Amino acid sequence: MVTLKEATTKTDLKKFVKFPFSIYKDSPYWIPPIINDELESFDKTKNPAFKNAEARFFLAYKNNEIVGRIAAIINWIEINDQKVKKMRFGWFDFVNDTEVSETLLKKVEEIGKEHQLEYMEGPVGFSNLDKVGVLVEGFDEMGTMITWYNHAYYPEHYERLGFAKEKEYVENRFPFSNAHPKFYDKAGELVKRRYGVKALSYTKTKDVMAMADTMFDLFNETYSSLSSFVPITEIQKAYFKKKYISFINPEYIKFILDKEDNLIAFGIVMPSFSHALQKAKGKLFPFGLFHMLHAKKHSKDVIFYLIGVHPDYQNKGVTAVMFQEYYKTFTAKKILNCIRTPELADNIAIKQLWKHFNPEIYKRRRTYRKNL
């Protein structure tokens, strides 16, 4: 018989965070998180997402062993301001036992009904900068630090329990050698002359930090039209600056300004930390930090994390200027492979942006939905 226990103490939350280490311990594709970072993201006193959201964390037990986990999440901005009556769930992992997955999902369903919500969707996080989607293709491919990995039986459980596909995401990659300047150099120079735009790059993190708030404002403006978008609040900006921006190579963050020096586009690229995180095994000390810093400096794979373009400049070719800058940086760093984060499969604009680089879809993932 499966029983649930809500994780409210530090001890139980640590069990919640560490559960995937047991079911993926033999997987060469799973990328373990840093345990303390995960715990901090679930700490109501440290993660500003809890200013506008609430979450409950549950562990499933069978024969006195932990066999599953799930986070039940309510984002009040989404519900009250955007009028989207959605019950979110994420961090959903389980052994291959339908009784386990059903018990966990029924708890989320129960909470959603208590709040008179209309449907539940997952796996998703607190915001658009969190991980999203259950892997449905690409189980034999290395994961990244910004995506969830899961066993091949996961999608079967969703469908067996009456969930339907809500959104589909694809992950693409291409060798850097495909990003030849002939595809964007001429266009980049034309855009500079026509609109008076210019690129801005930094080599010091403090200089990037000075632009970060404006960048997050542009992020909100860029993606506000997406149905699934929840804006980043003021208090979240400081949190994300500390969590993400401070750990990314400053030369991997590019800005495009208009002739009045207003920010109109940005790009955030990260070195791949996948192998470093596998070596760290969830801990920064004593050796994990060394592996992470080594990857930051020497990784030959990069992940395109975010690109944002002001609505007034979309479809005007400003990304060509950005690609010019990345070409110079990646050439100097001897980058070999470019990896993209999950993108909505029906996002035509994204497909157009990357089409010349002959990208390969190597993973697919989905969120699933069930009406309450």
Side-chain angles (χ1 to χ4, degrees):
M1 182 177 177
V2 177
T3 58
L4 292 186
K5 180 180 181 182
E6 186 167 1
T8 56
T9 67
K10 287 185 178 179
T11 298
D12 285 338
L13 283 170
K14 194 166 187 177
K15 291 178 182 176
F16 184 94
V17 169
K18 293 182 74 172
F19 171 66
F21 286 75
S22 65
I23 61 172
Y24 298 118
K25 62 182 179 181
D26 297 322
S27 172
Y29 311 115
W30 177 64
I31 305 303
I34 297 299
I35 293 169
N36 285 339
D37 282 355
E38 284 280 89
L39 287 170
E40 183 176 305
S41 69
F42 299 149
D43 189 331
K44 295 177 175 61
T45 66
K46 294 181 179 179
N47 187 346
F50 286 101
K51 299 291 183 182
N52 300 288
E54 60 184 75
R56 296 171 66 184
F57 308 95
F58 297 94
L59 290 166
Y61 284 81
K62 193 170 187 177
N63 299 324
N64 294 319
E65 290 187 7
I66 299 174
V67 289
R69 68 170 189 171
I70 199 166
I73 304 164
I74 297 176
N75 188 304
W76 291 112
I77 293 179
E78 188 171 51
I79 292 168
N80 295 328
D81 297 351
Q82 299 179 329
K83 310 303 179 186
V84 178
K85 307 298 185 183
K86 177 166 73 178
M87 181 75 210
R88 292 172 166 242
F89 65 90
W91 288 272
F92 183 32
D93 289 290
F94 48 91
V95 298
N96 193 7
D97 182 334
T98 304
E99 185 185 5
V100 175
S101 55
E102 183 175 26
T103 302
L104 288 163
L105 288 168
K106 278 190 175 297
K107 187 63 181 179
V108 177
E109 182 177 347
E110 175 188 312
I111 296 170
K113 287 179 177 178
E114 286 174 1
H115 288 87
Q116 300 180 315
L117 301 180
E118 295 175 356
Y119 68 99
M120 54 193 285
E121 182 187 353
V124 295
F126 297 103
S127 77
N128 300 81
L129 292 181
D130 287 319
K131 300 174 183 179
V132 65
V134 61
L135 197 65
V136 296
E137 291 179 18
F139 302 105
D140 57 350
E141 296 285 356
M142 177 80 77
T144 69
M145 70 178 295
I146 49 182
T147 55
W148 281 309
Y149 181 79
N150 55 266
H151 289 305
Y153 61 77
Y154 276 44
E156 299 168 9
H157 281 245
Y158 284 98
E159 291 160 13
R160 192 181 305 150
L161 294 169
F163 283 76
K165 181 181 77 172
E166 177 68 358
K167 300 180 184 74
E168 181 159 330
Y169 298 82
V170 294
E171 294 177 55
N172 290 264
R173 65 187 175 192
F174 56 90
F176 174 55
S177 57
N178 283 13
H180 197 279
K182 67 181 180 182
F183 296 123
Y184 49 81
D185 213 19
K186 186 176 179 180
E189 294 305 314
L190 179 62
V191 169
K192 289 176 186 175
R193 292 195 301 270
R194 179 176 294 174
Y195 301 110
V197 305
K198 59 185 177 184
L200 191 61
S201 296
Y202 292 113
T203 57
K204 295 181 180 179
T205 299
K206 67 175 183 177
D207 295 326
V208 173
M209 285 293 193
M211 296 284 292
D213 285 348
T214 305
M215 180 176 67
F216 283 127
D217 288 338
L218 180 55
F219 170 77
N220 283 341
E221 199 164 2
T222 300
Y223 292 96
S224 61
S225 61
L226 295 180
S227 60
S228 60
F229 182 74
V230 178
I232 297 173
T233 63
E234 290 298 317
I235 196 168
Q236 284 177 302
K237 292 178 185 177
Y239 178 74
F240 287 131
K241 281 192 287 186
K242 177 185 174 184
K243 187 174 182 179
Y244 296 108
I245 305 302
S246 63
F247 208 72
I248 299 174
N249 310 44
E251 63 270 28
Y252 284 0
I253 300 178
K254 306 296 184 183
F255 304 103
I256 307 297
L257 310 180
D258 67 11
K259 55 187 176 184
E260 280 84 36
D261 289 339
N262 298 308
L263 182 66
I264 60 167
F266 69 89
I268 301 177
V269 170
M270 304 170 64
S272 174
F273 293 106
S274 294
H275 292 291
L277 286 165
Q278 286 184 328
K279 293 175 182 176
K281 298 179 180 178
K283 298 178 181 179
L284 283 180
F285 301 100
F287 303 115
L289 185 59
F290 167 79
H291 295 307
M292 297 293 284
L293 292 174
H294 185 271
K296 181 179 179 181
K297 187 174 182 180
H298 298 290
S299 177
K300 300 306 177 187
D301 296 344
V302 292
I303 300 172
F304 278 81
Y305 184 49
L306 272 179
I307 289 180
V309 180
H310 191 283
D312 291 347
Y313 283 88
Q314 291 174 8
N315 301 315
K316 291 184 177 178
V318 295
T319 51
V321 180
M322 193 180 302
F323 288 153
Q324 286 180 307
E325 295 302 305
Y326 277 123
Y327 183 81
K328 288 183 282 189
T329 300
F330 292 169
T331 299
K333 293 277 188 179
K334 296 182 171 58
I335 296 302
L336 297 177
N337 297 296
C338 298
I339 303 164
R340 285 154 47 198
T341 52
E343 299 156 346
L344 285 166
D346 58 0
N347 190 331
I348 304 301
I350 286 291
K351 292 179 182 178
Q352 290 295 110
L353 178 62
W354 300 101
K355 65 180 181 180
H356 293 301
F357 303 160
N358 194 25
E360 166 202 12
I361 295 176
Y362 74 111
K363 293 183 195 172
R364 292 182 186 270
R365 58 182 67 240
R366 294 174 186 159
T367 60
Y368 281 89
R369 168 183 174 143
K370 185 178 182 181
N371 292 334
L372 299 178

